[in-house]
Amino acid sequence: MRPILTRLALALSALGNAVVGLWALLWPSGFYTDFPGFRTGWVAADGPFNLHLLHDFGGLNLALAVTALGALHLGGSAAARWAGVAILAFNLPHALFHTLHLHPYPELVDQVLIMATTWGPVALGLVALLAPTRSTT
């Protein structure tokens, strides 16, 4: 079995992506107006409501959750690394976009929280990507 840090990164990634994905798919209007829940309006501040976009975003997040859960279930370093690549393929451009587009969020607290919640998944993907190979000695 992989080290606890890799398993934790995959589990947190799966949980976060599942929550975001299900919320966007099952209640897109609530996701649009209330995301992330503790500070409202992050999605609404960036443009008009688009049901198609929210469904695609929800499905993508569910796919990442399934990928991380699959890597946890398989238990090997190769699976963790591929999950890390998938997590990074979405989250790195997402984090870069938000880093360069903070203007819709005038309050510093929102800017800091957006940076934390977009770069956090990048860190989880890096942990999974760098999963150590299990020693046989």
Side-chain angles (χ1 to χ4, degrees), residues 19-20 23 27 30-43 110 113 117:
V19 168
V20 168
W23 187 1
W27 192 31
F31 183 85
Y32 177 77
T33 58
D34 296 329
F35 182 83
F38 54 87
R39 299 282 298 175
T40 60
W42 286 3
V43 178
D110 287 314
L113 289 169
T117 58

Side-chain angles (χ1 to χ4, degrees), residues 10 13 64 67-69 71-72 78-88 125 128-129:
L10 290 169
S13 182
L64 288 174
T67 300
L69 285 173
L72 274 170
R81 289 181 184 136
W82 277 111
V85 168
I87 292 164
L88 287 170
L129 179 63

Side-chain angles (χ1 to χ4, degrees), residues 91-109:
N91 285 293
L92 186 56
H94 185 230
L96 288 170
F97 175 86
H98 281 292
T99 299
L100 298 172
H101 297 90
L102 289 172
H103 60 275
Y105 316 101
E107 293 189 41
L108 180 61
V109 65

Side-chain angles (χ1 to χ4, degrees), residues 108-129:
L108 180 61
V109 65
D110 287 314
Q111 294 175 1
V112 170
L113 289 169
I114 287 167
M115 290 296 87
T117 58
T118 57
W119 285 100
V122 172
L124 295 176
L126 285 171
V127 169
L129 179 63

